Amino acid sequence: MVHVKTKIERADAAHVAALAKFGTATIHEAQGRLGALSSRLKPVDRSMSLCGTAFTVKCAPRDNIMLQVAISYAKPGDVIVVSAGEYEEAGSFGDVLANACLAKGIAGLVTDTGVRDTAELIKLGFPVFSLSTCIKGTVKETIGNVNDPVVVGDEIIYPGDIIRGDADGLVVVRREHAAYAVQKSQEREDAEAGYIAAYKAGKSVIEVSNLAGVLAAKGLTTDE
């Protein structure tokens, strides 16, 4: 059994760069309301933003030995995605490991367990999205797998998928669907720019959204 798979097909760098320009909500809506990770996963700081190729690792709860292995093998631009059993009472990642990630050019960390040293993480500017903040330390005991599919935030994450995170949350885009997600996200951004221009020109939300017929069919009346 191979525990650490180092040879993964990473997302196209151009697709990663293009998706980084869009917000997570836009990408989620653009790809048919798919890919949103649980809203329980929060950025350590709302200014944090990440976009990169998923480098997945399975950890036992309250154990970060495999996270340290994953950091050792990840490449620049990767986002380490940790499945650790949704265990909130552990601080499995902090400023020391964040410095290790920054030294390697890793793009961020997403974990369904806790992290600590959050003030230092914010100062470092390393993007971290986690289930909790917890000061309790971890052990280094249990071997797991690196770069197998994992479930994090109620979504299956495959190594090589694109992970985008911002103040609103996290979304996953399948590597093979990235070009479509970029196209549809741009179309959505263009349409929304048109809506905003129409509002500024004096049109109502009902007019811009073509809601008059829908509201009439549902029996909505006004006193006008």
Side-chain angles (χ1 to χ4, degrees):
M1 177 181 181
V2 176
H3 290 289
V4 180
K5 297 173 183 174
T6 61
K7 299 177 179 67
I8 65 171
E9 190 168 357
R10 287 176 167 80
D12 188 294
H15 293 155
V16 174
L19 286 169
K21 299 176 182 177
F22 301 112
T24 53
T26 294
I27 297 169
H28 168 60
E29 294 283 354
Q31 60 179 0
R33 296 187 175 179
L34 297 174
L37 276 63
S38 170
S39 60
R40 295 172 65 205
L41 299 176
K42 303 289 188 185
V44 169
D45 185 82
R46 286 182 56 79
S47 67
M48 290 180 171
S49 176
L50 59 78
C51 192
T53 296
F55 193 91
T56 66
V57 58
K58 179 72 173 179
C59 295
R62 209 173 65 83
D63 191 323
N64 76 346
I65 190 171
M66 291 310 299
L67 170 56
Q68 298 200 37
V69 171
I71 293 169
S72 298
Y73 285 97
K75 301 294 185 183
D78 287 346
V79 173
I80 296 178
V81 181
V82 183
S83 173
E86 297 187 346
Y87 189 82
E88 296 185 40
E89 293 300 315
S92 64
F93 182 90
D95 64 328
V96 174
L97 291 181
N99 275 285
C101 290
L102 286 168
K104 295 201 66 178
I106 293 169
L109 176 94
V110 175
T111 179
D112 69 355
T113 186
V115 299
R116 60 186 184 179
D117 305 326
T118 55
E120 288 79 6
L121 294 179
I122 293 168
K123 289 177 185 176
L124 287 169
F126 182 70
V128 175
F129 289 68
S130 68
L131 183 61
S132 69
T133 299
C134 181
I135 63 173
K136 298 176 184 176
T138 55
V139 299
K140 296 167 180 62
E141 296 289 344
T142 307
I143 296 299
N145 293 337
V146 174
N147 284 323
D148 277 349
V150 295
V151 176
V152 174
D154 304 325
E155 284 286 330
I156 298 175
I157 311 294
Y158 296 92
D161 285 347
I162 298 174
I163 301 292
R164 173 77 175 105
D166 61 18
D168 289 338
L170 292 154
V171 65
V172 58
V173 176
R174 303 295 175 219
R175 178 181 53 78
E176 61 272 23
H177 298 157
Y180 174 84
V182 170
Q183 176 190 339
K184 292 300 181 182
S185 294
Q186 187 61 62
E187 290 175 3
R188 186 174 179 85
E189 288 263 295
D190 293 343
E192 289 181 348
Y195 301 153
I196 293 169
Y199 298 149
K200 291 180 177 179
K203 289 191 176 182
S204 73
V205 175
I206 291 175
E207 288 178 287
V208 173
S209 299
N210 296 314
L211 292 176
V214 174
L215 295 172
K218 292 180 178 296
L220 182 75
T221 61
T222 72
D223 60 0
E224 291 183 338

